[in-house]
Amino acid sequence: MGRLFTAIGLLLACALLSTGARASLTDYVADLVMYPQVLINIRTEGKFHFAVSAAVTAALKQAETALAGTGRVLLGASGTEPVIRVMVEGEQRTQLESRARATADAVESEAIR
């Protein structure tokens, strides 16, 4: 199980096969809507706990408010390198880029001092 994080697709396939259903994968994803994503990686100097930063929390909340339910903002630390990932997903790519950049700027200003 040490490689569980790399086998999500395989686990999904096994889960679908174990249901015994005869539906095709096309049937499972028929209602799936794909939205554009913007990903920005911010290299930090060691660990940075972004959840305790008022500036990062405010930028995150501002991005979520701007998207107004039409997208999502994810912030996460890499488990293998000193990097914070900012991912914004939604309907309008231009809005995503500005929200991702604003959030990434807040992370950079707090994490790299």
Side-chain angles (χ1 to χ4, degrees), residues 4 11 19 21 30 41 43 47 54 65 76 83 86 97 99 106 109:
L4 182 62
L11 289 172
T19 65
N41 292 318
R43 187 155 296 279
K47 284 199 175 228
T65 300
V83 169
V86 176
E97 290 171 356
R99 292 294 102 212
S109 70

Side-chain angles (χ1 to χ4, degrees), residues 78-91:
S78 169
T80 59
E81 57 185 332
V83 169
I84 302 293
R85 301 186 200 291
V86 176
M87 194 279 293
V88 183
E89 177 182 65
E91 296 173 354

Side-chain angles (χ1 to χ4, degrees), residues 36-90:
Q37 296 179 342
V38 174
L39 175 67
I40 300 175
N41 292 318
I42 300 105
R43 187 155 296 279
T44 62
E45 313 235 341
K47 284 199 175 228
F48 171 62
H49 300 283
F50 56 85
V52 298
S53 166
V56 173
T57 303
L60 183 59
K61 187 167 280 301
Q62 191 173 33
E64 290 170 338
T65 300
L67 291 172
T70 64
R72 63 185 179 149
V73 182
L74 301 174
L75 220 56
S78 169
T80 59
E81 57 185 332
V83 169
I84 302 293
R85 301 186 200 291
V86 176
M87 194 279 293
V88 183
E89 177 182 65

Side-chain angles (χ1 to χ4, degrees), residues 5 15-19 22-24 29 32 34-35 41 52 54 57 70 79 87 89 102-103 110:
F5 62 92
L16 290 174
L17 290 172
S18 71
T19 65
R22 298 264 182 208
S24 71
V29 298
L32 178 66
M34 299 293 287
Y35 291 109
N41 292 318
V52 298
T57 303
T70 64
M87 194 279 293
E89 177 182 65
T103 306
E110 293 290 303

